[in-house]
């Protein structure tokens, strides 16, 4: 006798199924996009929300942590636009080209789309979906796990975002600022997908920021896919300053061509539960990737940085440096994997994770990995976790610096080593100011 075993769905998983059933016919896209959405959601429904039995989600069990599925955010109204216009003040004076996404919808009225350089186009993802373009494709090779749950959800639900395209040889002097703002006190779910394509020899800087209201347990699922042609360069800086009760899950997909240079810096200072996952494929010869980040966590925040970088061609170089400062009962997670394919001889890859614990209740989980199939490589990884150096603190206090200020100076120096790697001077100074503000709020 054969007995069928049905998987038990959580309240959140059931809510997601109901939400997709209600929204699927109103989501933008032609026949091909609709088929891609249905296929993605069917795959998600089979496995459900990620949980600790999945190795990549061992330390961030969404099935346990996500209690319910929020309703999809409605189109922004006048009040939402007014709230979004006040957002991004920290970066507003740096002269970036602002591209606003409000409650998941591209907002031309709040975006700076005039005077684009020749060869640069910026358009809503919704228009590309309506034309049935294959903008929901996320294939970047084996570096991306099959049926990644949160990416499947994004593919199913994403209705808007931005498509930025830079033609061959174009150098964009003014940085793009993709600003994602969630408004309103009522908890909602926001799904966005953005695509950044740089042609051969093109150069640009992309700043990505996320923010929303305090005390609202809204949910964000954001995906940014980057495609770099040969000899191109992109500097990407992401700042997460979500509200203190928000859930933020984001995926960066990067496919990097030959002799290209890709740098990505992540700065996390807000949100109740944040997971930033990066999947990077170095597909061309002599490619350079620099991935780094800083997480400032306090209260009961949970910050997870998970990355996988695939060296798929000879002579590529990668450097990964991530630091976390963890206070109170917060948790920091770092999972990093470097894979070197058999054909990727002469690879040079180094990865380091460092964490600073400021309280006895703070927790850090670190899991660096190397997977090497080539025999002529230089690869290494490391991880450290510790507390403030009492001798250095005493040295500062002995010179008349109060204890709290001495701690702040040591923490600032710990973080500043990574922040200083940001090429844009104004951005460096802005994030240093955010760090000082965070230190000033410590009890």
């Amino acid at each position: 006798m054969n007995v069928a075993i049905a998987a038990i769905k959580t309240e959140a998983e059931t809510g997601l199924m109901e939400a997709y059933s209600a929204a699927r016919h109103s989501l933008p896209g032609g026949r091909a996009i609709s088929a891609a959405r249905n296929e993605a959601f069917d795959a998600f429904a089979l496995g459900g929300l990620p949980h600790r039995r999945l190795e990549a989600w061992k330390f961030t069990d969404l099935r346990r942590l996500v209690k319910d599925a929020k309703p999809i955010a409605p189109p922004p109204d006048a009040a939402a636009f007014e709230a979004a216009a006040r957002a991004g003040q920290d970066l507003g004076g740096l002269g970036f080209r602002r591209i606003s996404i409000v409650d998941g919808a591209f907002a031309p009225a709040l975006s700076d789309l005039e005077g684009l350089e020749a060869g640069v186009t910026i358009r809503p993802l919704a228009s590309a979906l309506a034309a049935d373009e294959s903008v929901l494709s996320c294939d970047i090779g084996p570096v991306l796990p099959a049926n990644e749950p949160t990416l499947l959800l994004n593919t199913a639900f994403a209705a808007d975002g931005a498509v930025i395209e830079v033609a061959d040889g174009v150098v964009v002097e003014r940085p793009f600022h993709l600003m994602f703002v969630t408004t309103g006190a009522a908890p909602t779910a926001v799904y966005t997908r953005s695509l950044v394509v740089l042609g051969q020899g093109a150069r640009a800087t992309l700043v990505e920021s996320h923010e929303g209201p305090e005390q609202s347990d809204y949910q964000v699922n954001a995906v940014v896919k980057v495609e770099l042609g040969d000899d191109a360069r992109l500097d990407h800086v992401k700042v997460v300053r979500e509200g203190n009760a928000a859930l933020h899950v984001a995926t960066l997909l990067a496919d990097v061509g030959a002799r290209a240079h890709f740098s990505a810096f992540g700065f996390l200072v807000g949100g109740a539960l944040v997971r930033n996952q990066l999947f990077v494929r170095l597909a061309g010869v002599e490619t350079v990737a620099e991935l780094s980040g800083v997480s400032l966590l306090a209260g009961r925040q949970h910050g997870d940085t998970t990355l996988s970088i695939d060296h798929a061609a000879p002579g590529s170089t990668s450097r990964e440096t991530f630091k976390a400062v963890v206070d109170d009962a917060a948790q920091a997670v770092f999972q990093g994997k470097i894979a070197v394919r058999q054909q990727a001889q002469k690879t040079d890859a180094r990865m380091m994770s460092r964490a600073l614990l400021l309280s006895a209740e703070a927790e850090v989980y670190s899991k660096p990995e190397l997977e090497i199939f080539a025999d002529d490589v230089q690869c290494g990884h490391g991880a450290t976790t510790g507390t403030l150096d009492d001798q250095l603190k005493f040295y500062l206090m002995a010179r008349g610096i109060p204890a709290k200020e001495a701690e702040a100076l040591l923490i600032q120096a710990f973080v500043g080593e990574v922040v200083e790697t940001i090429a844009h001077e104004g951005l460096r100074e802005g994030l240093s100011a955010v760090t000082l503000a965070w230190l000033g709020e410590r009890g």
Side-chain angles (χ1 to χ4, degrees):
M1 177 179 176
N2 294 326
V3 179
I5 300 176
I8 298 175
K9 299 295 183 184
T10 66
E11 182 178 344
E13 291 168 341
T14 301
L16 287 167
M17 295 177 70
E18 293 173 352
Y20 184 68
S21 179
R24 57 187 294 184
H25 297 298
S26 61
L27 293 169
R31 182 175 298 178
I33 292 296
S34 296
R37 292 188 189 279
N38 292 336
E39 182 181 354
F41 193 81
D42 289 344
F44 167 79
L46 190 62
L49 288 168
H51 49 81
R52 65 180 62 193
R53 292 187 180 181
L54 299 177
E55 185 64 25
W57 292 86
K58 180 178 180 180
F59 305 110
T60 306
D61 188 344
L62 288 191
R63 181 170 289 175
R64 178 179 62 86
L65 295 170
V66 178
K67 303 302 182 183
D68 57 1
K70 307 302 181 186
I72 297 176
D77 54 16
F81 286 130
E82 183 179 351
R86 298 192 298 267
Q89 298 300 319
D90 295 335
L91 306 177
L94 298 179
F96 300 158
R97 183 179 294 280
R98 180 167 165 165
I99 305 166
S100 296
I101 313 294
V102 182
D103 293 333
F106 190 98
L110 298 180
S111 300
D112 185 3
L113 305 178
E114 300 296 328
L116 292 174
E117 295 89 339
V120 176
T121 61
I122 301 173
R123 56 195 174 112
L125 182 87
S127 63
L129 291 172
D132 224 21
E133 298 180 29
S134 58
V135 287
L136 294 183
S137 170
C138 53
D139 180 25
I140 58 169
V143 66
L144 180 63
N147 294 337
E148 204 296 309
T150 58
L151 186 55
L152 291 173
L153 268 183
N154 183 277
T155 300
F157 281 105
D160 211 349
V163 178
I164 303 172
E165 296 168 297
V166 181
D168 294 351
V170 175
V171 177
V172 182
E173 299 292 346
R174 187 179 178 190
F176 301 113
H177 181 191
L178 260 178
M179 190 173 74
F180 297 87
V181 183
T182 303
T183 67
T188 57
V190 176
Y191 300 87
T192 60
R193 176 75 66 97
S194 296
L195 179 63
V196 180
V197 181
L198 268 61
Q200 294 186 15
R203 296 194 171 199
T205 297
L206 173 68
V207 180
E208 177 189 351
S209 67
H210 297 258
E211 58 185 283
E214 302 291 331
Q215 310 304 327
S216 174
D217 58 338
Y218 61 91
Q219 300 172 352
V220 170
N221 184 325
V223 173
V224 173
K225 185 178 181 183
V226 171
E227 297 177 2
L228 297 188
D230 296 346
D231 301 298
R233 173 164 185 151
L234 178 68
D235 295 320
H236 176 224
V237 177
K238 177 182 178 181
V239 182
V240 178
R241 302 193 68 184
E242 301 283 18
N244 57 9
L247 164 69
H248 177 100
V249 177
T251 304
L252 173 67
L253 307 172
D255 200 357
V256 188
R259 298 172 304 280
H261 190 128
F262 175 60
S263 69
F265 179 91
F267 190 86
L268 167 59
V269 74
L273 191 159
V274 177
R275 176 173 167 113
N276 284 314
Q277 51 185 16
L278 303 87
F279 301 100
V280 180
R281 179 173 68 168
L282 306 184
V285 299
E286 300 177 7
T287 297
V288 176
E290 297 174 326
L291 311 179
S292 56
V294 168
S295 297
L296 303 176
L297 305 172
R300 303 193 67 85
Q301 282 182 282
H302 179 95
D304 179 341
T305 298
T306 295
L307 69 90
S308 183
I309 183 165
D310 183 13
H311 289 261
S316 56
T317 300
S318 71
R319 294 290 184 268
E320 296 82 41
T321 306
F322 289 84
K323 293 192 174 186
V325 181
V326 193
D327 203 358
D328 304 322
Q331 295 180 329
V333 176
F334 174 80
Q335 299 181 104
K337 180 179 180 180
I338 296 174
V340 182
R341 304 299 165 193
Q342 186 174 4
Q343 70 273 19
Q345 304 293 341
K346 305 296 184 182
T347 288
D348 184 357
R350 310 297 170 94
M351 177 167 55
M352 175 59 72
S353 167
R354 300 188 186 278
L356 185 61
L357 299 176
L358 302 183
S359 81
E361 292 76 30
E363 297 180 2
V364 172
Y365 302 93
S366 187
K367 191 182 72 171
E369 297 178 76
L370 295 175
E371 186 180 75
I372 302 172
F373 296 98
D375 54 13
D376 186 6
V377 302
Q378 296 185 54
C379 296
H381 64 66
T384 65
T385 301
T387 58
L388 287 172
D389 190 315
D390 289 334
Q391 291 185 343
L392 290 177
K393 180 179 176 181
F394 176 78
Y395 177 87
L396 294 173
M397 293 175 64
R399 280 147 183 80
I401 300 176
K404 185 176 179 181
E405 293 183 20
E407 290 184 359
L409 285 172
L410 293 173
I411 296 169
Q412 190 177 5
F414 176 78
V415 170
E417 183 181 2
V418 183
V419 174
E420 285 299 316
T421 64
I422 299 174
H424 192 281
E425 181 180 358
L427 206 49
R428 287 200 309 271
E429 295 177 355
L431 295 185
S432 295
V434 174
T435 302
L436 286 174
W438 184 85
L439 291 170
E441 294 172 358
R442 289 190 65 220

